């Protein structure tokens, strides 16, 4: 690098022109700098796929595997001799980036929406849709179901698409209250409904597996927007439909 400096610059004593180039920054740091420069948030439940460059996910997988290896070593697990944990670091890195937290690193699945040509305006609900997430506080599973109620607006999407977008949104570290809001924002963006209601019932393994160790406790929360918010009878109808769908489960 020093060879490109103009000759007029004063020479710095002790600085050799053959000084080794500085080590490249870890890929996570490069991505973070790019996100900060663009003013894009990267909280645990944000998606950052838009600003990832080609090949960086593979590099990130290697970096994360290295850190998980260090974590296992810090937990005093003999990964060099334990055949069970030999490749755990690589597995965990793949699992985080491409499975359980894929909603942070991968683009939203392609979801086509169509104009509501028939002017449908009767409400319907879709569910149960599996909720598979992890709590931001402990990174342990949040598992449950969600129901989505729609009063159609200007656009419609296929029923299975609700499950796809929910899977993408929930596959991030979350707290349940925010997950429901983010899912509502995405569905509103996709089909601009006149009304939207979402109900989530989930069990939090940070309460079942650790902490207070309450195996049966679940958390239920909902968001209602548009006509579901303004019309109490519509809101009641949504919860009634969910109840009927739950009874179909036979549990
Ligand atoms: Zn937790």
């Amino acid at each position: 690098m020093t060879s490109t400096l103009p000759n007029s610059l004063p020479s710095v004593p002790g600085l050799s022109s053959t000084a080794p180039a500085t080590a490249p920054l870890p890929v996570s740091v490069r991505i973070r700098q790019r996100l900060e420069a663009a003013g894009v948030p990267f909280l645990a439940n944000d998606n950052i796929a838009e600003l990832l460059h080609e090949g960086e996910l593979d590099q990130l997988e290697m970096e994360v595997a290295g850190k998980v290896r260090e974590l296992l070593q810090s937990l005093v697990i003999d990964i060099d001799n334990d055949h069970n944990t030999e490749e755990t670091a690589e597995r965990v890195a793949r699992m985080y980036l491409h499975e359980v937290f894929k909603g942070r690193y991968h683009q939203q699945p392609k979801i086509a929406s169509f104009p509501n040509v028939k002017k449908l305006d009767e409400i319907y609900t879709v569910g149960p849709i599996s909720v598979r997430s992890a709590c931001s506080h402990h990174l342990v599973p949040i598992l449950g179901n969600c129901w989505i109620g729609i009063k159609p607006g200007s656009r419609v999407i296929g029923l299975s698409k609700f499950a796809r977008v929910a899977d993408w949104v929930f596959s991030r570290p979350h707290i349940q209250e925010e997950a429901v809001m983010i899912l509502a924002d995405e569905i509103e963006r996709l089909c601009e409904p006149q009304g939207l209601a979402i109900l989530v019932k989930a069990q939090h393994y940070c309460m079942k597996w650790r902490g207070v160790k309450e195996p049966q406790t679940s958390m239920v929360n909902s968001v209602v927007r548009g006509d579901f918010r303004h019309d109490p009878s519509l809101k009641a109808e949504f919860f009634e439909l969910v109840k009927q769908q739950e009874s179909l489960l036979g549990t």
Side-chain angles (χ1 to χ4, degrees):
M1 291 297 285
T2 47
S3 62
T4 60
L5 289 173
N7 291 334
S8 57
L9 274 182
S11 64
V12 180
L15 184 66
S16 157
S17 62
T18 57
T22 47
L25 291 170
V27 63
S28 65
V29 176
R30 282 187 274 130
I31 295 167
R32 200 158 65 228
Q33 287 176 346
R34 195 179 307 137
L35 291 160
E36 281 168 346
V40 174
F42 49 100
L43 307 182
N45 56 14
D46 284 321
N47 178 281
I48 60 166
E50 209 65 61
L51 285 181
L52 293 181
H53 290 174
E54 181 89 31
E56 280 184 339
L57 258 186
D58 292 339
Q59 296 170 38
L60 209 48
E61 195 181 311
M62 284 170 62
E63 184 183 323
V64 172
K67 303 285 186 190
V68 176
R69 209 172 294 120
E70 286 178 19
L71 170 68
L72 293 168
Q73 282 162 341
S74 293
L75 290 169
V76 200
I77 293 174
D78 185 2
I79 53 175
D80 297 324
N81 293 298
D82 177 3
H83 55 283
N84 292 325
T85 53
E86 215 174 27
E87 289 176 32
T88 295
E90 288 75 14
R91 270 187 223 107
V92 170
R94 269 198 306 277
M95 176 184 76
Y96 279 161
L97 292 169
H98 304 298
E99 294 178 288
V100 298
F101 300 153
K102 68 176 178 225
R104 295 197 80 231
Y105 307 98
H106 293 261
Q107 303 270 6
Q108 187 182 80
K110 288 265 172 289
I111 291 172
S113 68
F114 306 95
N116 182 5
V117 285
K118 295 258 168 86
K119 304 268 183 278
L120 306 168
D121 69 350
E122 292 294 331
I123 76 163
Y124 61 89
T125 60
V126 194
I129 292 168
S130 298
V131 166
R132 286 178 296 264
S133 192
C135 80
S136 290
H137 302 139
H138 303 90
L139 300 186
V140 297
I142 298 172
L143 300 176
N145 286 317
C146 112
W147 286 262
I148 298 171
I150 296 280
K151 184 175 181 193
S154 50
R155 303 192 71 77
V156 289
I157 61 173
L159 283 191
S160 66
K161 303 300 188 278
F162 290 105
R164 286 199 194 288
V165 68
D167 180 47
W168 179 70
V169 166
F170 284 121
S171 298
R172 306 172 195 179
H174 271 298
I175 65 164
Q176 189 172 324
E177 301 91 315
E178 290 181 15
V180 177
M181 303 295 279
I182 295 172
L183 178 58
D185 291 344
E186 293 296 343
I187 291 173
E188 280 197 318
R189 206 176 49 73
L190 286 166
C191 56
E192 301 157 13
Q194 293 183 64
L196 171 65
I198 301 178
L199 176 74
V200 172
K201 298 183 179 187
Q203 297 208 315
H204 292 237
Y205 277 66
C206 53
M207 277 189 74
K208 281 169 78 89
W209 186 36
R210 56 160 298 286
V212 294
K213 296 183 181 138
E214 274 297 343
Q216 298 303 328
T217 307
S218 62
M219 177 171 168
V220 181
N221 72 329
S222 63
V223 54
V224 284
R225 293 184 179 175
D227 288 1
F228 283 101
R229 194 177 188 88
H230 307 126
D231 183 344
S233 66
L234 212 57
K235 186 173 167 180
E237 195 180 338
F238 167 69
F239 288 106
E240 182 53 38
L241 286 170
V242 168
K243 216 182 283 174
Q244 288 179 26
Q245 277 171 321
E246 269 199 303
S247 68
L248 287 176
L249 298 176
T251 53

